[in-house]
């Protein structure tokens, strides 16, 4: 067992940015500087959307800036450079076909096929320990919402449509099972999440009998999700399968709060950040305590939570690279966590989104909005980049 005293220094920028040359570091600096300006992000989003509508030649500019920082490329082959670069430093890739907001059946079929392509690429490939999909990439949001509400007036046509959604999900999860590739089902808005949870349970029941292949995602900024995690383990035990969970804080806070207010129901979001942090860390503890039945991926940009998980692993005598425990961050963000954890021998994988520039813009807009709304996120990134720039300047 690994009883080595924890020596995680998340402020070590030499390790954090060892994959970036000076030019790439400077580009990151300018990007986070821009993202930190709230009004620029708010104005930039509709401006870029308008530019696409007017067919202005902005694609090249986007690819050289935000794409270079946060996206692997326009197609799966474009991702190879980022995959190899991260693998040099023992960081895995979570391939994420990040096309959002589609409504047509042929788009859903294409996303299904593309997700299976990521699974095929991950087969027997230690550089790609996970793949991922969103249920809204495989079916209409309005349909999922209707299924979630339990409305009695669901038509035969809608039931047939939902059967196609389930067929695509089953096809993806079976491909993952057949190739021994772990697959995440992303969490989404609370008013479709019960449907997603139900689908995740069905897939785990089918494919997680020997080990966790299918992972559900739990958003701990919701006040009911710690209890849901505990219920999920009991359900897994009762049903005879291994539970796979990805723990995140959450990505739809403003939208959730606004809808709850408009529709006069209890806001599902925690009353404070402290409450979210408390539940997140309690979820980590619960998972490590039950690691014989749960495989966990801690999707977090929070330094304290990352350290807590490392300490929990040590106190429960788990080796740093126990395959049941992973840390994860988004590509282009929190490299101080990813690279320092990997350097210490922990399992780390970064979400690497890819897709056509125009189709991936909703993902990028959400990332920009999250960076400006999460207190201190952008300033932390900037501080670390400046620290590394200064360190390198002194070496000249």
């Amino acid at each position: 067992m690994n009883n080595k005293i924890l020596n995680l220094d998340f402020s070590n920028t030499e390790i954090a940015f060892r994959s970036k040359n000076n030019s790439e570091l400077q580009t990151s600096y300018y990007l986070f500087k821009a993202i930190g300006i709230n009004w620029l992000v708010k104005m930039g989003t509709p401006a870029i959307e308008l530019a696409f509508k007017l067919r202005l030649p902005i694609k090249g500019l986007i690819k050289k800036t935000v794409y270079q920082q946060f996206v692997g490329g326009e197609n799966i082959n474009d991702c190879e450079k980022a995959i190899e670069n991260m693998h040099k430093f023992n960081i895995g890739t979570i391939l994420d076909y990040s096309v959002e907001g589609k409504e047509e059946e042929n788009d859903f079929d294409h996303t299904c096929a593309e997700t299976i392509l990521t699974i095929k690429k991950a087969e027997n490939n230690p550089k790609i320990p996970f793949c991922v999909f969103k249920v809204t990439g495989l079916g209409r949001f309005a349909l999922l919402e209707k299924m979630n509400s339990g409305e009695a007036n669901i038509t035969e046509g809608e039931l047939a449509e939902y059967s196609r959604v389930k067929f695509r999900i089953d096809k993806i999860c079976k491909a993952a099972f057949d190739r021994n590739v772990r697959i995440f089902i992303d969490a989404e808005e609370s008013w479709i999440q019960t449907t997603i949870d139900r689908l995740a349970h069905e897939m785990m029941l089918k494919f997680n009998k020997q080990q966790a292949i299918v992972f559900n995602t739990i958003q701990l900024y919701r006040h009911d999700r710690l209890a849901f995690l505990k219920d999920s383990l009991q359900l897994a035990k009762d049903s005879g399968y291994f539970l796979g969970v990805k723990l995140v804080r959450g990505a739809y806070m403003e939208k959730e709060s606004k809808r709850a207010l408009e529709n006069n129901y209890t806001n599902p979001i925690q009353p404070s950040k402290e409450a979210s942090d408390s539940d997140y860390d309690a979820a980590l503890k619960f998972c490590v305590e039950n690691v014989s039945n749960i495989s966990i991926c801690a999707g977090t940009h929070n330094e304290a939570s990352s350290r807590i998980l490392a300490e929990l692993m040590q106190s429960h005598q788990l080796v740093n690279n126990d395959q049941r425990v992973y840390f994860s961050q988004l590509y282009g963000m929190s490299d101080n966590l990813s690279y320092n954890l990997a350097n210490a021998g922990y399992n780390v994988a970064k979400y690497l989104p890819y897709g056509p520039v125009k189709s991936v813009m909703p993902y990028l807009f959400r990332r920009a909005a999250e960076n400006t709304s999460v207190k201190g996120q952008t300033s932390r990134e900037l501080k670390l980049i400046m620290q590394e720039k200064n360190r390198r300047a002194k070496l000249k």
Side-chain angles (χ1 to χ4, degrees):
M1 292 294 172
N2 180 18
N3 295 313
K4 183 181 175 183
I5 295 171
L6 284 173
N7 185 27
L8 285 170
D9 179 10
F10 292 133
S11 65
N12 186 326
T13 58
E14 182 180 2
I15 291 174
F17 298 110
R18 55 172 39 162
S19 69
K20 290 185 184 293
N21 61 35
N22 290 340
S23 174
E24 290 166 337
L25 195 66
Q26 188 66 26
T27 300
S28 296
Y29 171 78
Y30 287 135
L31 267 174
F32 281 109
K33 195 86 172 168
I35 290 170
I37 304 170
N38 281 27
W39 65 265
L40 187 61
V41 172
K42 286 178 180 175
M43 283 181 62
T45 299
I48 291 171
E49 287 176 336
L50 179 62
F52 273 116
K53 283 179 184 174
L54 296 175
R55 299 186 179 179
L56 298 179
I58 62 164
K59 182 177 172 181
L61 175 65
I62 290 169
K63 286 191 78 170
K64 286 178 182 176
T65 53
V66 287
Y67 236 66
Q68 184 178 308
Q69 180 73 27
F70 300 113
V71 183
E74 290 204 77
N75 57 59
I76 198 167
N77 293 325
D78 289 345
C79 297
E80 200 59 45
K81 182 183 175 184
I83 293 168
E84 291 295 333
N85 196 25
M86 287 192 285
H87 180 66
K88 284 180 199 170
F89 305 100
N90 298 315
I91 293 175
T93 292
I94 303 167
L95 277 175
D96 180 13
Y97 181 60
S98 292
V99 172
E100 300 182 10
K102 301 295 184 181
E103 290 284 311
E104 302 298 328
E105 290 287 299
N106 61 333
D107 290 319
F108 301 142
D109 287 337
H110 177 74
T111 297
C112 177
E114 190 68 35
T115 304
I116 290 171
L117 242 154
T118 67
I119 292 166
K120 288 177 179 177
K121 190 170 181 66
E123 184 178 9
N124 297 320
N125 189 346
K127 301 170 191 175
I128 309 172
F130 299 95
C131 296
V132 62
F133 68 91
K134 266 181 159 50
V135 174
T136 50
L138 304 169
R140 286 187 307 114
F141 190 101
L143 174 70
L144 297 170
E145 186 176 2
K146 195 167 184 181
M147 298 302 299
N148 205 85
S149 67
E151 287 183 33
N153 62 335
I154 294 169
T155 67
E156 287 295 322
E158 287 168 336
L159 286 172
E161 187 182 355
Y162 186 61
S163 291
R164 292 194 293 274
V165 176
K166 291 179 73 171
F167 174 78
R168 294 180 190 112
I169 293 169
D170 187 85
K171 192 174 180 182
I172 289 169
C173 293
K174 186 177 187 307
F177 174 80
D178 289 344
R179 291 167 176 80
N180 198 31
V181 173
R182 288 166 290 185
I183 184 98
F184 294 143
I185 301 177
D186 266 349
E188 304 195 53
E189 290 87 345
S190 62
W191 54 99
I192 63 170
Q193 188 60 44
T194 300
T195 297
I196 295 170
D197 293 337
R198 194 181 303 122
L199 290 164
H201 164 66
E202 288 177 22
M203 294 302 107
M204 286 192 273
L205 182 61
K206 199 168 182 179
F207 299 114
N208 286 13
K209 294 291 188 184
Q210 281 80 43
Q211 61 174 320
I213 290 289
V214 179
F215 285 61
N216 196 12
T217 302
I218 298 177
Q219 301 187 107
L220 275 307
Y221 74 166
R222 281 181 55 176
H223 55 68
D224 62 340
R225 292 286 97 175
L226 181 57
F228 173 79
L229 170 63
K230 293 176 180 179
D231 290 342
S232 294
L233 176 59
Q234 192 57 56
L235 180 59
K237 284 181 175 179
D238 293 344
S239 305
Y241 64 77
F242 289 91
L243 182 64
V245 291
K246 176 161 66 82
L247 303 179
V248 300
R249 277 171 169 79
Y252 304 96
M253 187 167 67
E254 291 179 9
K255 187 192 286 190
E256 291 278 1
S257 299
K258 185 182 177 197
R259 188 177 188 270
L261 186 65
E262 288 173 352
N263 292 276
N264 196 31
Y265 61 83
T266 303
N267 190 346
I269 303 302
Q270 300 269 16
S272 65
K273 184 182 183 301
E274 290 72 26
S276 293
D277 292 343
S278 176
D279 272 14
Y280 191 91
D281 296 340
L284 293 176
K285 185 171 185 288
F286 179 79
C287 288
V288 173
E289 286 172 350
N290 292 279
V291 75
S292 56
N293 296 100
I294 301 178
S295 288
I296 170 184
C297 177
T300 180
H301 291 193
N302 186 287
E303 182 177 318
S305 293
S306 299
R307 194 177 297 281
I308 284 167
L309 179 53
E311 289 169 352
L312 283 165
M313 290 178 70
Q314 187 182 53
S315 66
H316 286 78
Q317 297 186 303
L318 300 180
V319 293
N320 289 4
N321 64 347
D322 189 303
Q323 284 300 304
R324 296 167 297 182
V325 184
Y326 258 81
F327 295 78
S328 177
Q329 290 79 40
L330 297 168
Y331 183 70
M333 291 174 63
S334 298
D335 285 346
N336 65 310
L337 298 184
S338 309
Y339 284 81
N340 280 295
L341 283 164
N343 188 65
Y346 293 95
N347 296 320
V348 181
K350 288 177 89 74
Y351 257 66
L352 185 67
Y354 74 93
V357 173
K358 190 175 179 181
S359 298
V360 175
M361 288 317 295
Y363 168 89
L364 290 170
F365 292 150
R366 200 168 66 249
R367 288 284 85 86
E370 283 171 22
N371 270 283
T372 53
S373 65
V374 176
K375 188 180 178 184
Q377 178 68 48
T378 303
S379 59
R380 276 196 300 275
E381 298 280 0
L382 269 174
K383 182 182 174 183
L384 291 163
I385 290 169
M386 288 170 69
Q387 185 180 318
E388 177 58 12
K389 284 177 67 180
N390 292 335
R391 189 195 69 82
R392 292 183 186 185
K394 289 175 183 175
L395 296 175
K396 289 181 181 177

